[in-house]
Amino acid sequence: MTSGFTRDGAVEEKKLGEESTAGTARGPVATLRRIAFLMERQREETRRIEAFRKAARTILPLPEEEVRRRAADGTLTELTGIGPSTAAAITDACNGVVPERLVRLEATAGPLAQGGEELRARLRGDLHSHSDWSDGGSPLEEMAMTAMELGHDYLVLTDHSPRLRVANGLSAERLTRQLGVVDAVNEHLGGSFTLLKGIEVDILDDGSLDQTPEMLGRLDVRVASVHSKLKMDAAPMTKRMVTAVRNPHTNVLGHCTGRLVTGNRGVRPQSQFDAKAVFTACAEEGVAVEINSRPERRDPPTGLLELARDLGCLFSIDSDAHAPGQLDMLDYGAARATEAGIDADRIVTTWDRDRLLEWAAARL
Ligand SMILES: [Zn+2]
Ligand SMILES: [Zn+2]
């Protein structure tokens, strides 16, 4: 063991417990979920994280006695989806011990970015997230549960629209089915947290939106984003984006430049458009300019963020999470908004659910 931590949970727990409750021993499923969450927020390798998510799914339906017996017998790895490292974590949890891996992860689990803590504490929810219905990695109920654990009042589920085939975009029929599942999840949760109905709808080449007006009208919040022909000339791109912003269904302009600044998808330059014209349209229409929190995007770039601020735009600090742990990336967006001196009341994700829903429905 190279980390300096022991597997003697009692000792470690006490030490960690002095500062927070983070070191408290959890049950096996909660332990696996917590490990996956912390790995995701720190952008560890997806394949390694998936092992923990998969192991949690495997043991979730099993009787507690069976999990304990297998942990004691050393037969957890006979179950499909459980390998040596996940078995070790489960065994520790069964023994009331915090796994060493989790102790190490908890030790670096502070804010992801400096300077935005005050604003981050005022954020009530998130308008942009994906589930395994499109290109996310987890079921929508897992996304909802994690959002609740983060203290959100609401999370808008915004899976992709049909044209984005590479991301398994939802047809009107699949979206209709998803809305039924969202209703069922909310009935189950009942109360202080709401999973809201949404979409990340593609802005097509002519500026129209990639879903029927009828379906768009059934949703609570609509994020409109450009995902294709990002290298279009500035004049048609400006027209395309302004047309989308003027569409009364649009509430949020997602990751407006499309740039990628880091990460395993490589880098991509920002799209060219007349930002003043686009943001003026946003300000006039009450469409929020998204501050996309993903470190790969950091979109809009600082200069454009300041321009949108000066033109009187509303903003939405969103995670664009494709996995539960990424929901915590709002820290990055909050730090950028704070640095740009954006007034918290102009950030729609600081609003309570009722105010948010009223705003989102205002132009329909
Ligand atoms: Zn997108
Ligand atoms: Zn997205």
Side-chain angles (χ1 to χ4, degrees), residues 87 149 151 182 202 214 274 337:
E149 288 163 354
V182 172
D202 263 48
E214 189 211 344
D274 179 348

Side-chain angles (χ1 to χ4, degrees), residues 1-204:
M1 226 150 287
T2 54
S3 70
F5 291 110
T6 72
R7 289 183 84 86
D8 181 354
V11 175
E12 280 308 322
E13 272 167 48
K14 208 168 181 191
K15 231 191 264 173
L16 278 167
E18 283 169 8
E19 287 173 27
S20 70
T21 57
T24 311
R26 300 170 163 84
V29 174
T31 296
L32 296 169
R33 289 183 65 242
R34 179 74 181 165
I35 291 171
F37 170 83
L38 292 172
M39 289 171 81
E40 279 161 355
R41 79 194 281 281
Q42 294 175 18
R43 296 193 290 152
E44 291 194 29
E45 207 186 320
T46 309
R47 188 179 51 82
R48 293 181 56 221
I49 299 165
E50 187 50 30
F52 288 89
R53 294 261 172 227
K54 203 168 164 191
R57 283 198 298 275
T58 300
I59 62 168
L60 184 63
L62 298 180
E64 201 185 318
E65 314 84 73
E66 182 182 344
V67 177
R68 289 189 177 283
R69 179 180 56 73
R70 285 183 177 278
D73 296 352
T75 57
L76 282 165
T77 50
E78 287 173 8
L79 298 167
T80 311
I82 297 185
S85 59
T86 51
I90 295 167
T91 305
D92 280 349
C94 286
N95 294 330
V97 172
V98 181
E100 185 212 348
R101 178 192 289 271
L102 183 51
V103 172
R104 266 188 280 128
L105 285 164
E106 296 285 8
T108 53
L112 290 166
Q114 305 301 315
E117 294 87 349
E118 204 179 309
L119 176 58
R120 175 67 186 85
R122 291 184 61 174
L123 297 179
R124 310 287 293 267
D126 188 343
L127 308 191
H128 189 165
S129 68
H130 300 273
S131 74
D132 61 7
W133 284 64
S134 65
D135 60 347
S138 284
L140 60 87
E141 53 273 29
E142 181 69 39
M143 298 298 286
M145 207 190 301
T146 303
M148 287 176 76
E149 288 163 354
L150 283 172
H152 289 3
D153 295 341
Y154 51 84
L155 172 69
V156 186
L157 179 66
T158 56
D159 277 313
H160 288 287
S161 64
R163 289 288 180 97
L164 208 57
R165 291 210 186 83
V166 289
N168 196 21
L170 273 61
S171 62
E173 190 200 350
R174 287 182 68 220
L175 181 55
T176 301
R177 266 199 290 139
Q178 186 183 64
L179 300 187
V181 176
V182 172
D183 281 335
V185 167
N186 282 323
E187 258 171 53
H188 213 75
L189 298 174
S192 58
F193 173 85
T194 314
L195 183 62
L196 294 174
K197 295 167 180 169
I199 189 171
E200 183 179 17
V201 64
D202 263 48
I203 299 175
L204 300 175

Side-chain angles (χ1 to χ4, degrees), residues 11 66 73 101 114 137 187 197 205 226 229 262 304 328 345 355:
V11 175
E66 182 182 344
D73 296 352
R101 178 192 289 271
Q114 305 301 315
E187 258 171 53
K197 295 167 180 169
D205 295 359
V226 171
K229 296 205 181 157
T262 180
L304 292 190
D328 211 14
D345 201 50
R355 186 176 174 194

